[in-house]
Amino acid sequence: MATLANSPTTTEGAPPDGLPGRRLLVGLAGAYLVLFAALMATGSDRSAYDDPKKLIADFNIGDGAIQVMTYTAMVTAAVLIFYGAALRSVLSARTRTWAGDVAFIGFLVMALTLASWGVTSLALHHAVHIGDPQIVQTINILDTTNFPPAMLGLMCSFIGVGLTALKGSALPKWLAIASIVIGCIAPLGPGGFVPFMIFPIWIVVVAAMVRRDPA
């Protein structure tokens, strides 16, 4: 009886020792969704071809606001790394596969991409205050053309999770296959924005539906 009492449980309410529970997974995913929405709401719609002099004239973000936006981007990136590590541990409990590592690397790349966007936005803010149109134009081009790393992160995250979930039956088959398909869309030019916008909702769905008990 003592052996049974001390053995790790694998029920939905109590995951095995060392594995994150569903509440943690959903909490991290929900936090990322809220933070991501806040970043998108406070971002500006610019292109690489914008007139730098007009950018200087129209730029109205204060020092305090840009600092909050930068810190929010860093927190969002950190939350995504924690989520990726937690999800990989749950997926690995059901099956050991290299695709799980690919998925975590994808989350890491996405996090670093978000952090880089915060850095270039902060750099643009300082460039505007310096008032040199050439510097503003250069940083604006960097800030508006740095989406490809996100494509890489999306491909690795979606496809890595989908492949791992298929092998270990960690997600419903339809969700695992849909993840792989969405990941394949990520590098297809403008179509990459579709997975990018779906990504925050997808991680919430995955957190809510992933099977945490070992196979």
Side-chain angles (χ1 to χ4, degrees), residues 41-110:
T42 55
S44 58
D45 187 16
R46 289 177 283 104
S47 76
Y49 302 102
D50 287 347
D51 183 352
K53 293 182 179 179
K54 189 174 187 302
L55 282 175
I56 295 174
D58 295 342
F59 202 87
N60 57 1
I61 301 177
D63 291 341
I66 195 66
Q67 288 181 355
V68 170
M69 292 169 61
T70 304
Y71 298 156
T72 301
M74 301 306 133
V75 172
T76 305
V79 167
L80 190 57
I81 292 174
F82 276 96
Y83 174 86
L87 181 61
R88 179 177 63 170
S89 69
V90 172
L91 294 174
S92 297
R94 296 185 65 86
T95 180
R96 292 286 182 177
T97 174
W98 59 270
D101 294 334
V102 172
F104 175 70
I105 292 172
F107 288 114
L108 179 61
V109 171
M110 276 297 298

Side-chain angles (χ1 to χ4, degrees), residues 4 16 35 40 49 54 60 69 82 113 124 147 151 185 208:
L4 292 175
L35 291 167
M40 292 298 101
Y49 302 102
K54 189 174 187 302
N60 57 1
M69 292 169 61
F82 276 96
T113 300
L124 180 63
F147 187 73
M151 294 180 181
I185 297 174

Side-chain angles (χ1 to χ4, degrees), residues 8-57:
T9 58
T10 58
T11 61
E12 283 297 300
D17 291 342
L19 287 183
R22 191 177 306 282
R23 184 177 298 177
L24 175 62
L25 283 169
V26 173
L28 289 170
Y32 177 80
L33 176 61
V34 172
L35 291 167
F36 176 84
L39 288 175
M40 292 298 101
T42 55
S44 58
D45 187 16
R46 289 177 283 104
S47 76
Y49 302 102
D50 287 347
D51 183 352
K53 293 182 179 179
K54 189 174 187 302
L55 282 175
I56 295 174

Side-chain angles (χ1 to χ4, degrees), residues 106-133:
F107 288 114
L108 179 61
V109 171
M110 276 297 298
L112 292 175
T113 300
L114 290 173
S116 73
W117 291 351
V119 171
T120 53
S121 294
L122 181 62
L124 180 63
H125 173 80
H126 289 305
V128 166
H129 279 273
I130 292 173
D132 187 329

